[in-house]
Amino acid sequence: MLRAFTGSQVRDAERPLLERGMGRDLMARAAHGLYRSLVAELRRTRGGLYGARVTAVVGKGNNGGDALFALAELAGRGVRTTAILASGSAHTEGLAAFLAAGGRVERTLGRADIVVDAVLGTGASGDYRAPFPRPEGIVVACDLPSGVDADSGTASPEVWRADVTVTFGALKSGLLAGRGRALAGRVEVIDIGIGEYLPQPDVYVLEAEDVRGVLPEPRDDWQKYTRGVLGVIAGSDQYPGAAVLTTSAALATGVGMVRHIAPESVRRAVLAAHPEVVASGSPEGRVQAWAVGPGIGDDAGQQSAFDVALDSGLPIVVDASGLNRIPGPPLDGRAVLTPHAGELARVLSRLGLDVERPEVEERPIRWARLAAERLGATVLLKGPATVCAAPDGTVCVQAVSHPYLATAGSGDTLTGIVGALLATTSYARPVHVAAAAAMVHGRAGRIAAEGGPFGAGELSAAVRQAVAAFQGGVPEAPLGAAVDLPFAGR
Ligand SMILES: NC(=O)C1=CN([C@@H]2O[C@H](COP(=O)(O)OP(=O)(O)OC[C@H]3O[C@@H](n4cnc5c(N)ncnc54)[C@H](O)[C@@H]3O)[C@@H](O)[C@H]2O)[C@@H](O)CC1
Ligand SMILES: Nc1ncnc2c1ncn2[C@@H]1O[C@H](COP(=O)(O)OP(=O)(O)O)[C@@H](O)[C@H]1O
């Protein structure tokens, strides 16, 4: 599991070392890490350092200092380096090292293979105005894209989109969610030796092996009931397709049985697609978990089935119109709610918090965490990155996804995946179940996208492949020191 921290958590972790006079060492490690990333980027894009030009736009703080020392190292390798002092002054020692190594200070952005954005890092406050429009070529952000808030991921309008962000000490929460995620590009974390001073993380990111730990491992002694039965309350005469999508996804994720509750016409549609489903008009028979809400609209029978499911005290995932029917807090700790930003804004408004969809999109971690704490349930907030928050404040952010997932019915698929995992993994925490489900869904989206755009009806086939890939332990992306945040800003 990767761990991410707020900007102030990282600054607090640096403090004991700064007090011991190690500030220069920390900056040297950060600068050397940035230098190495720039070398790798130059090798990747132009085959080597010979004849390369790198420009840094630097602010007056330590963020600019990091970049000046990094460029001094590059200059020592023969790279032509220029710096633009965005606020007229710069970190004194950094500038001296840069000039001594042959770097030049300019006023305008000329041609460069890479432009380093080092105006502001964790010391940013208030609105930021970039000194120039974003250059066309490769931008590498030093610690954070200047103007991105390290905690929330909110960003001033003019922030440059980075191709790569080289961040120091630890992954920052603001690079995982909100606009910060889209602006950061690929994120590389440089260890500067503050690990032992870091507190409890602000946010976690599940990796492939964590997802494997949540997925049930096939066992010889399984039988369909012990493996896990999922009750699905989905679909109505108005929205029959949602029931097909939810049950398809649950079956593809793997369950002992799906019991489906819906009006007759919907049951017929589900049975035509999946004859193995056990269907009835009202909740009956035992289940280990419930998936409730997709396509139930205002169907009175489905709504009272929902009440039965809620009263059962079993693990439950609630989506779509089901979210309008959740009772006030506290909910059962095993409940998982799966709103998108608009739905979460409505849920929060019912709790007396006046918030609109754009605010939720801007600070997804904050609002998901607040909703989970207030409701006493796990909240899975959907969007380009999926934020899963537990009532105790634990948050997981999963960014493996594909923009083609933004298609009608893709959320119904996710509900089926969450439901299947709730029914079959009694040992995992709901917040980890939710995050693992988001990973399966996101990876399925990527697999499906290999063949071009798709409708949600085609997603379940890819869900099976995603589950198989996680069970086989195939890493999705270079996770660990480098965090791949796919499609960010592209
Ligand atoms: N603290 C440390 O020991 C280390 C810090 N490091 C680097 O230092 C950075 C933090 O350095 P600083 O605390 O000097 O802060 P920054 O370099 O992020 O910027 C602070 C300066 O920018 C100004 N400023 C703030 N918001 C602004 C805005 N919206 N528009 C214009 N100017 C604004 C401030 O007045 C201040 O002078 C980190 O991001 C990281 O890059 C690294 O060198 C590792 C070690
Ligand atoms: N831009 C995007 N990039 C990647 N995934 C997205 C994006 N937008 C939405 N998603 C994902 O697609 C799904 C959409 O769910 P939802 O909005 O509930 O759709 P529906 O209600 O039509 O089923 C969610 O899992 C969400 O995280």
Side-chain angles (χ1 to χ4, degrees):
M1 218 176 285
L2 299 176
R3 304 179 306 153
F5 300 83
T6 64
S8 42
Q9 283 180 318
V10 173
R11 289 169 80 91
D12 287 349
E14 285 165 351
R15 196 160 300 132
L17 294 163
L18 296 183
E19 281 163 5
R20 271 190 251 147
M22 292 179 63
R24 205 173 294 182
D25 299 312
L26 293 183
M27 188 173 276
R29 290 172 200 165
H32 186 64
L34 176 60
Y35 155 79
R36 289 178 53 140
S37 296
L38 292 170
V39 168
E41 200 59 22
L42 288 172
R43 289 214 172 104
R44 194 179 65 75
T45 53
R46 52 189 324 286
L49 307 189
Y50 182 75
R53 288 169 187 258
V54 175
T55 297
V57 184
V58 303
K60 61 185 169 185
N62 291 326
N63 192 250
D66 294 338
L68 287 166
F69 278 117
L71 261 61
E73 272 194 75
L74 274 183
R77 296 282 306 275
V79 175
R80 272 184 283 174
T81 54
T82 35
I84 296 176
L85 312 187
S87 53
S89 62
H91 187 274
T92 314
E93 293 165 25
L95 185 58
F98 170 76
L99 293 172
R104 291 168 43 164
V105 173
E106 305 271 5
R107 285 181 183 278
T108 52
L109 264 181
R111 192 192 71 73
D113 296 291
I114 297 178
V115 175
V116 180
D117 172 7
V119 183
L120 291 177
T122 56
S125 60
D127 271 351
Y128 166 70
R129 299 191 57 139
F132 309 99
R134 186 198 186 282
E136 287 286 306
I138 298 170
V139 170
V140 173
C142 175
D143 204 18
L144 298 162
S146 298
V148 165
D149 181 79
D151 303 1
S152 63
T154 55
S156 301
E158 291 179 16
V159 171
W160 289 1
R161 174 184 60 73
D163 297 282
V164 182
T165 294
V166 182
T167 200
F168 309 125
L171 186 57
K172 317 287 189 308
S173 309
L175 298 173
L176 296 174
R179 286 186 64 224
R181 169 189 174 269
L183 291 165
R186 196 179 77 245
V187 179
E188 296 175 7
V189 183
I190 304 298
D191 182 5
I192 60 167
I194 60 169
E196 64 180 292
Y197 302 101
L198 287 166
Q200 274 286 92
D202 177 45
V203 166
Y204 296 88
V205 182
L206 260 56
E207 296 178 276
E209 67 197 54
D210 305 308
V211 178
R212 190 163 60 243
V214 171
L215 292 171
E217 207 172 315
R219 284 171 34 168
D220 276 351
D221 62 353
W222 264 356
Q223 44 110 330
K224 63 190 176 208
Y225 296 115
T226 55
R227 184 176 172 193
V229 179
L230 175 67
V232 174
I233 299 170
S236 57
D237 288 332
Q238 199 183 356
Y239 306 112
V244 179
L245 295 171
T246 308
T247 49
S248 299
L251 291 165
T253 308
V255 283
M257 184 193 289
V258 170
R259 293 187 191 276
H260 175 230
I261 290 91
E264 201 196 334
S265 64
V266 184
R267 299 201 305 266
R268 251 189 270 126
V270 167
L271 285 170
H274 300 293
E276 63 272 41
V277 167
V278 176
S280 59
S282 58
E284 54 194 38
R286 287 190 55 193
V287 300
Q288 274 69 54
W290 288 103
V292 186
I296 64 173
D298 50 13
D299 183 298
Q302 290 294 68
Q303 296 202 350
S304 49
F306 177 12
D307 295 341
V308 172
L310 256 189
D311 288 346
S312 71
L314 291 168
I316 186 169
V317 50
V318 181
D319 184 37
S321 13
L323 294 167
N324 300 327
R325 206 174 166 82
I326 47 168
L331 294 172
D332 189 289
R334 285 169 301 175
V336 178
L337 315 181
T338 59
H340 54 58
E343 289 166 335
L344 186 63
R346 284 200 291 280
V347 168
L348 287 163
S349 301
R350 288 210 306 278
L351 295 174
L353 292 153
D354 191 15
V355 55
E356 305 275 346
R357 179 183 192 130
E359 293 165 70
V360 174
E361 284 168 343
E362 211 182 320
R363 296 173 186 266
I365 295 174
R366 173 183 182 204
W367 292 111
R369 180 176 269 145
L370 190 70
E373 282 166 358
R374 293 279 176 97
L375 288 162
T378 295
V379 171
L380 180 160
L381 172 57
K382 294 181 277 198
T386 302
V387 176
C388 302
D392 70 355
T394 306
V395 169
C396 301
V397 180
Q398 304 307 138
V400 169
S401 67
H402 194 288
Y404 285 163
L405 281 169
T407 185
S410 145
D412 305 337
T413 305
L414 177 66
T415 304
I417 300 169
V418 178
L421 294 183
L422 285 175
T424 54
T425 61
S426 55
Y427 42 84
R429 289 184 66 193
V431 68
H432 292 152
V433 168
M439 283 281 271
V440 169
H441 185 253
R443 189 159 185 175
R446 284 184 164 201
I447 293 169
E450 281 167 17
F454 55 84
E458 295 172 76
L459 197 50
S460 287
V463 169
R464 289 185 61 221
Q465 290 175 265
V467 169
F470 280 119
Q471 281 177 327
V474 184
E476 150 71 27
L479 293 169
V483 186
D484 185 22
L485 303 180
F487 301 101
R490 283 184 206 134

